[in-house]
Amino acid sequence: MLSRLRERILPAAQRRPLEELAEILDLSSGDVRSKRSAFWTMRALSAGIHTDSTATVIGAMIIAPLGTPIMGVALAIVRRGGQGAIGFVVLGSLFVVAMGMLFSLLLPISYALLANSQIAARTSPKPMDLVAALATGLAGAVAHARRDVAAVLPGVAIAISLVPPLAVAGSASVRGRAG
């Protein structure tokens, strides 16, 4: 039953080998310096939620800077080793929260965070948001694992992006509340 389901979701003819996935998702293999430079640069550039610009937030979501290490964690589990990806997820998340805090400190005291529609939209997650995140995470894993559906990755990135909510968490923690 499970093997039939796997074959339907990941047909052998379209399945990427683990080595190829590792080259894409493991920030500790291949051109490590370039991968890590891109990881941290994209992290810094995607934290600008304070502009109240839908285009900026969508741009941050398309970059999806935490997507690679999160998928890298899944790959590490499958490969039974190389848990360094967890460190990138944790440090990357903390970095985005810190960027949100920094941006919030640079804003005038009179700036009401909840007047920013991009921030307000991310202050009250619901249980269905978690379900949606899990589903889009699965979609991202399937898209990475298959050669023929890579075109859906930007949509998955938008759906699963964690950067805007993490930046909001940083901003709200500096202000003591979201307002």
Side-chain angles (χ1 to χ4, degrees), residues 15-104:
R15 200 174 304 148
R16 291 182 197 262
L18 281 177
E19 298 76 31
E20 188 176 333
L21 286 170
E23 180 57 36
I24 296 167
L25 300 174
D26 187 352
L27 298 178
S28 299
S29 72
D31 188 356
V32 173
R33 185 175 180 164
S34 292
K35 286 180 178 181
R36 291 181 181 179
S37 169
F39 173 81
W40 291 110
T41 301
M42 293 301 108
R43 203 77 49 279
L45 294 175
S46 64
I49 195 165
H50 298 85
T51 62
D52 200 8
S53 163
T54 301
T56 302
V57 172
I58 290 172
M61 291 173 167
I62 289 173
I63 292 171
L66 290 171
T68 298
I70 289 171
M71 294 294 171
V73 170
L75 179 64
I77 291 168
V78 168
R79 294 172 75 191
R80 294 186 177 105
Q83 300 298 326
I86 292 172
F88 282 104
V89 172
V90 171
L91 290 175
S93 297
L94 291 173
F95 180 77
V96 172
V97 169
M99 291 295 292
M101 294 170 81
L102 176 65
F103 286 144
S104 190

Side-chain angles (χ1 to χ4, degrees), residues 12-13 21 42 64 66 88 105 114 118 124 130 134 139 154 157 170 177:
L21 286 170
M42 293 301 108
L66 290 171
F88 282 104
L105 288 170
L114 286 179
Q118 300 302 321
S124 4
L130 177 60
L134 293 172
R177 58 183 169 71

Side-chain angles (χ1 to χ4, degrees), residues 1-12 15:
M1 169 91 172
L2 283 178
S3 63
R4 265 192 281 149
L5 179 61
R6 177 182 171 202
E7 188 58 35
R8 282 183 184 243
I9 295 172
L10 296 171
R15 200 174 304 148

